[in-house]
Amino acid sequence: MSTAASPGIGAWLSGHLRRGGSFLVVGGIGFLVDAAIYNALAFWGGHGPLFSLPLLAKIIAIAGASVVTYFGSRLWTYRDRAAEPRRGAFWIFVLLNVIAILLQLACLGFSRYVLGLHSPLSDNVSGTLVGQAIATVFRYWAYGRWVFPPSTRTDGTLPAR
């Protein structure tokens, strides 16, 4: 391995560690918002207003958390990327979050309707913990690629990925 490649790898790794760390903090806040909204809708007082509609409760919870994570990502995680959001970036964000929501719903639906688990613990493990983990990995990759892409170089090209 040449010494010329080492600083590039170190800078790349350092950048991903910093960005990944801030992404996880923003995601952690989103996780808390998601869990709070879901549990209030599904289990408040034993049987929340959407107790019999857990997937709808999860969609509402994820939508609320997505607003929080968009602004956290824009203002902190990807603050070094283009200052002005690209045209259509919001709609790309929405589309990617729909995909992430489907990943979380698949985990919750599998637990509820295939495994027959209906407790607050099983819902939170499957939909909020496992589903959120899978969706977070997807979002980190997708946001960095399409929502908040690297700034263009002075020659107008994007840096190599």
Side-chain angles (χ1 to χ4, degrees):
M1 178 177 199
S2 73
T3 57
S6 296
I9 292 171
W12 178 85
L13 182 59
S14 174
H16 274 289
L17 288 175
R18 183 205 58 82
R19 189 177 319 282
S22 63
F23 190 84
L24 288 175
V25 170
V26 169
I29 294 167
F31 172 85
L32 294 174
V33 170
D34 177 340
I37 293 172
Y38 179 77
N39 283 290
L41 292 173
F43 301 113
W44 188 273
H47 280 59
L50 295 177
F51 179 78
S52 62
L53 299 168
L55 298 181
L56 178 59
K58 190 52 134 177
I59 289 169
I60 293 168
I62 294 169
S66 293
V67 171
V68 170
T69 59
Y70 177 82
F71 286 105
S73 294
R74 171 80 258 147
L75 299 173
W76 186 29
T77 303
Y78 296 100
R79 69 183 178 273
D80 61 327
R81 302 281 173 100
E84 290 297 317
R86 295 177 306 121
R87 180 179 294 184
F90 174 76
W91 295 111
I92 295 169
F93 174 83
V94 169
L95 175 65
L96 295 173
N97 273 292
V98 167
I99 294 168
I101 287 169
L102 292 174
L103 291 169
Q104 284 186 261
L105 291 177
C107 293
L108 177 60
F110 182 80
S111 174
R112 274 272 179 143
Y113 303 115
V114 175
L115 300 178
L117 304 172
H118 300 279
S119 73
L121 178 62
S122 64
D123 277 7
N124 281 290
V125 168
S126 64
T128 306
L129 189 62
V130 174
Q132 184 86 3
I134 293 168
T136 297
V137 170
F138 169 75
R139 284 181 175 113
Y140 179 74
W141 170 77
Y143 288 1
R145 183 163 180 93
W146 291 299
V147 180
F148 307 110
S151 300
T152 56
R153 295 179 181 165
T154 56
D155 64 0
T157 62
L158 288 174
R161 296 181 200 248

